[in-house]
Amino acid sequence: MKILVALKRVADPDNANKVKIPADGSKIDTTGLEWKPNPFDDYALETALRLTEDGKTTKVRKGEVVVVSFGPKDVETTLRSALATGADRAIRVECTDEQLDGLVVAKAIAKLVEAEKPDLVVLGKQAVDGDSNQVGQILAELLDWPQAAFAATVREEAGAVLVGREVDGGVLEVRVKFPAVLTVDLRVVAPTSVYSASTDKAFKYNEGVRFAPLPAIMQARKKPLDTKNLSDLTAEKPRIRYVKYEAPPARKAGSKVADVDALLDKLKNEAKVI
Amino acid sequence: MANVLVVAEFAEGKVKKTTHSAVTFARTAATALGGSYSILVLGSSAGSAAEELSKLGAAKVLVAEDASLEHYLAETYAPTVAAVAKDFGVVVAAASAFGKDLLPRVAGKLEAGYAADITEVSASGGTLHYKRPMYAGNAFGVCVIDSAVQVVSVRQSAFAAAEATGAAAPIEKVAVVAAGQAGARIERVKFDQVKNERPELAEASVVVAGGRALKEQFYDLLNPLADAFGAAIGASRAACDNGYCASDLQVGQTGKVVAPGLYFAIGISGAIQHLAGMKSSKVIVSINKDGDAPIFQITDYGLVTDLFKAVPELAEKVRAIKAG
Ligand SMILES: Cc1cc2nc3c(=O)[nH]c(=O)nc-3n(C[C@H](O)[C@H](O)[C@H](O)COP(=O)(O)OP(=O)(O)OC[C@H]3O[C@@H](n4cnc5c(N)ncnc54)[C@H](O)[C@@H]3O)c2cc1C
Ligand SMILES: Nc1ncnc2c1ncn2[C@@H]1O[C@H](COP(=O)(O)O)[C@@H](O)[C@H]1O
């Protein structure tokens, strides 16, 4: 199986409350925040790796995992670490973040898909900086491929995957035939969430994503990393244009109460919610 | 580009409340643009929903009815929605799992811009400005969309449910557009529905949410308190991941977003991703044995104590108060 995985790097999501909005509202300033891989994209990579191995011998890849990221030179750090973790090949699409919106990224990935012909494209369900949740679904439409968005479980079958999608009110199971688009949700990295056709059904992964062993980090430097220009893939310009940014309304800490009775008194007499 | 199209969320014979929030958005947007709004409903027996929808003040209710639309799938719904949407300036649905799955696909078909999870809309010089949260709600961006059709999903908790208005709108059938290859390559296998007798999370006026600390006693502890308030139950990611409760209960950046009158955070530390889903609640109560837990930074009334003792006591006392 050949899988294309889209990886974005985002300003450290665990410190997202440290972003600053200048008084003129001209930008979201992330100075001082480290770049981190978008957590959902780490999960997308883990999903692709689990789908191309038997669980036990994780060094043997059955098929190929190609990772792609859009951005300036610094996104190569994200791509190198994906190569160290187990991806076979990487592509960086040279551009600035300002040149992109969901449609532009999807158009460009669609063009890469023409050349790469993967069976699956696996993406995160959302990039946690823009919180846009759209590239995978747009891409699927552009390709006229089925989309299994918000995937929590994935089972490989012959020429298809059986996917448990987390939706409102429960889990919807769909079967999508290759080629197809998957976007992954949080629970896809649970121990029994993803199995390839050759994974023993009793096998359990460790919770979460795997980390690259040290020798692999060295070897990853020899793995191919190609660069392409955004303009060679698409001439589209973003249709979403931000005119200003604002800080969220501040919320103050209130008070601590001594016990349940004091809490009830406040809820009744001060907040008047009981 | 004056008219707005609402895509109704209709499942198992019922129009979902999410639709009413999208209608409220449509009223505001259409008024600002000097246009009107219509509502599109799709399904195998969508006609049954048309009457209910016709009371929501729309210019028209459009019905796409076909056996192939019995169960929602983005692949089979998007072609018809896109065909109808071509005649509108704005297409909207709530940012529910349905809206988030379907609308980007519709935008892709129309080569349109899609803005997700709008919390506010305003117009300036005939152009709509959409406000949306980013960075887990730590920043808001105000954007405009430069395409013939603009596609948006709206945050349910930010738009009150529209009430019925006077006259009934005319109901029209629209042609169903067959799905392409994508539709042929997807098959709905089954829906594992979680039984939930409680109010929907996004609609409840009281939410009782529990975290990792509750362990296997999640429901045993929270049910009595939720019963006493007639509340919805919510959860942190850790509670969901560990299987203490249904995943569908997750509140946060990547779960449900709620803004009830009263929110209880019980045994929840207050990670950024959790706060993103509940910090617009009116009154926040937290119960946590760690007085330095970050949740207390946004809490109105904090109780530093062992939840296993406090929650049953609280539930019993609230029940007694409510019983008069
Ligand atoms: C990409 C991504 C998306 C995410 N999205 C979400 C999301 O949408 N929603 C979400 O909730 N999380 C989300 N998270 C996870 C989030 O970062 C936190 O890990 C999670 O919210 C922690 O859950 P918790 O507060 O229940 O657990 P913990 O952080 O472990 O907190 C447990 C709390 O319980 C308290 N406690 C323990 N025992 C007792 C006791 N006996 N009495 C009283 N208090 C007690 C502890 O003091 C502690 O504060 C996301 C993470 C990632 C990476
Ligand atoms: N700049 C980018 N580079 C690589 N992948 C991206 C980029 N932007 C978005 N993606 C992919 O699309 C997914 C959804 O992003 P979004 O629709 O922007 O929330 C992400 O989880 C990534 O897999």
Side-chain angles (χ1 to χ4, degrees):
Chain A
M1 190 187 332
K2 180 168 175 180
I3 305 181
L4 184 66
V5 177
L7 306 173
K8 187 182 189 186
R9 50 95 173 104
V10 297
D12 180 5
D14 289 322
N15 284 300
N17 56 347
K18 303 210 174 82
V19 301
K20 290 185 204 76
I21 317 279
D24 65 2
S26 60
K27 61 175 176 184
I28 298 175
D29 183 1
T30 60
T31 318
L33 295 190
E34 238 181 282
W35 291 120
K36 293 276 172 72
N38 178 39
F40 286 106
D41 300 351
D42 269 347
Y43 298 179
L45 176 61
E46 177 67 29
T47 303
L49 295 175
R50 290 186 187 184
L51 282 173
T52 51
E53 65 191 21
D54 64 8
K56 289 193 194 105
T57 44
T58 52
K59 284 202 190 94
V60 185
R61 207 111 320 276
K62 297 168 191 279
E64 193 182 19
V65 175
V66 182
V67 289
V68 57
S69 190
F70 292 74
K73 185 99 180 147
D74 67 70
V75 307
E76 288 188 2
T77 315
T78 308
L79 290 172
R80 285 280 171 216
S81 90
L83 292 172
T85 313
D88 299 287
R89 229 157 25 87
I91 302 168
R92 177 173 73 87
V93 179
E94 166 66 34
C95 59
T96 63
D97 291 312
E98 288 68 38
Q99 289 174 280
L100 304 173
D101 70 358
L103 187 66
V104 175
V105 175
K107 285 258 179 180
I109 297 178
K111 189 74 188 175
L112 288 173
V113 164
E114 261 177 42
E116 295 286 343
K117 301 191 171 52
D119 300 297
L120 281 179
V121 184
V122 184
L123 307 92
K125 90 163 180 184
Q126 87 194 50
V128 298
D129 49 2
D131 285 332
S132 283
N133 194 333
Q134 56 179 265
V135 171
Q137 300 91 314
I138 298 173
L139 174 68
E141 173 55 40
L142 296 177
L143 296 167
D144 196 12
W145 288 10
Q147 68 187 49
F150 327 140
T153 57
V154 187
R155 299 271 180 281
E156 186 193 355
E157 300 179 335
V161 276
L162 188 62
V163 181
R165 304 181 48 227
E166 282 192 10
V167 299
D168 293 339
V171 175
L172 177 65
E173 197 171 67
V174 294
R175 178 175 288 115
V176 286
K177 292 198 185 124
F178 298 157
V181 172
L182 297 188
T183 82
V184 297
D185 215 321
L186 297 170
R187 257 87 44 200
V188 82
V189 293
T192 60
S193 288
V194 181
Y195 290 122
S196 78
S198 54
T199 316
D200 189 276
K201 295 296 160 272
F203 183 79
K204 282 190 178 177
Y205 279 94
N206 292 327
E207 174 77 39
V209 300
R210 69 195 67 189
F211 294 98
L214 218 51
I217 298 175
M218 306 298 287
Q219 284 155 18
R221 296 203 189 124
K222 292 193 221 108
K223 290 187 178 175
L225 193 164
D226 295 335
T227 307
K228 295 195 183 323
N229 281 315
L230 182 65
S231 56
D232 295 335
L233 299 175
T234 179
E236 294 293 341
K237 300 276 172 286
R239 284 152 175 76
I240 306 289
R241 186 160 45 87
Y242 283 90
V243 293
K244 70 170 171 186
Y245 298 96
E246 294 170 11
R251 181 160 192 133
K252 286 202 313 278
S255 56
K256 298 246 167 79
V257 292
D259 53 24
V260 167
D261 290 327
L263 173 62
L264 285 168
D265 177 62
K266 292 278 192 189
L267 292 179
K268 229 162 64 186
N269 301 315
E270 194 173 272
K272 302 197 189 324
V273 286
I274 301 190
Chain B
M1 73 136 260
N3 297 332
V4 181
L5 179 68
V6 176
V7 185
E9 187 168 357
F10 172 65
E12 288 152 13
K14 280 209 294 256
V15 177
K16 295 230 193 153
K17 255 304 185 9
T18 50
T19 306
H20 296 245
S21 292
V23 166
T24 298
F25 165 92
R27 277 185 193 163
T28 314
T31 307
L33 296 172
S36 66
Y37 61 93
S38 294
I39 305 174
L40 168 65
V41 60
L42 306 92
S44 56
S45 59
S48 64
E51 201 190 332
E52 179 182 348
L53 293 170
S54 74
K55 293 174 190 146
L56 291 174
K60 279 180 197 168
V61 172
L62 305 169
V63 181
E65 207 167 35
D66 191 75
S68 66
L69 301 175
E70 180 178 359
H71 296 296
Y72 162 75
L73 286 173
E75 293 79 353
T76 53
Y77 274 44
T80 300
V81 176
V84 174
K86 280 203 189 86
D87 300 328
F88 289 83
V90 182
V91 183
V92 64
S96 57
F98 166 84
K100 291 194 281 197
D101 189 48
L102 174 65
L103 291 179
R105 189 149 190 138
V106 171
K109 208 170 220 20
L110 299 169
E111 310 234 315
Y114 166 68
D117 216 16
I118 302 299
T119 55
E120 230 177 276
V121 61
S122 60
S124 129
T127 305
L128 292 177
H129 287 220
Y130 305 108
K131 191 194 253 190
R132 54 179 306 275
M134 305 168 87
Y135 291 86
N138 289 291
F140 281 85
V142 178
C143 66
V144 297
I145 304 179
D146 299 317
S147 53
V149 183
Q150 306 179 0
V151 185
V152 300
S153 61
V154 295
R155 180 171 280 197
Q156 191 183 355
S157 64
F159 292 89
E163 304 283 340
T165 59
I171 297 168
E172 281 177 21
K173 291 238 173 217
V174 295
V176 172
V177 180
Q181 275 187 57
R185 290 218 303 274
I186 184 161
E187 177 199 342
R188 181 186 198 270
V189 179
K190 64 173 197 280
F191 183 43
D192 283 325
Q193 194 167 7
V194 202
K195 285 254 175 317
N196 186 6
E197 312 285 311
R198 300 192 180 279
E200 292 278 337
L201 257 175
E203 292 152 26
S205 54
V206 180
V207 173
V208 171
R212 188 196 308 272
L214 279 75
K215 305 230 169 67
E216 277 74 20
Q217 297 175 57
F218 185 92
Y219 286 111
D220 289 345
L221 277 164
L222 296 191
N223 276 335
L225 186 57
D227 285 342
F229 278 109
I233 291 187
S236 71
R237 175 191 179 177
C240 298
D241 281 6
N242 284 300
Y244 304 150
C245 64
S247 303
D248 169 64
L249 300 186
Q250 184 180 307
V251 170
Q253 179 182 22
T254 55
K256 299 260 165 51
V257 178
V258 301
L262 180 57
Y263 187 91
F264 286 91
I266 299 172
I268 292 178
S269 61
I272 279 177
Q273 296 89 350
H274 188 79
L275 302 189
M278 46 66 78
K279 70 178 174 190
S280 302
S281 304
K282 252 200 213 86
V283 176
I284 298 174
V285 173
S286 301
I287 303 179
N288 197 305
K289 69 176 180 192
D290 171 9
D292 294 326
I295 192 76
F296 287 118
Q297 291 163 18
I298 60 148
T299 293
D300 297 288
Y301 304 112
L303 188 52
V304 182
T305 186
D306 182 3
L307 68 90
F308 292 96
K309 291 213 189 75
V311 174
E313 180 188 347
L314 180 63
E316 178 48 35
K317 286 182 171 164
V318 173
R319 196 195 56 77
I321 293 171
K322 295 269 182 187

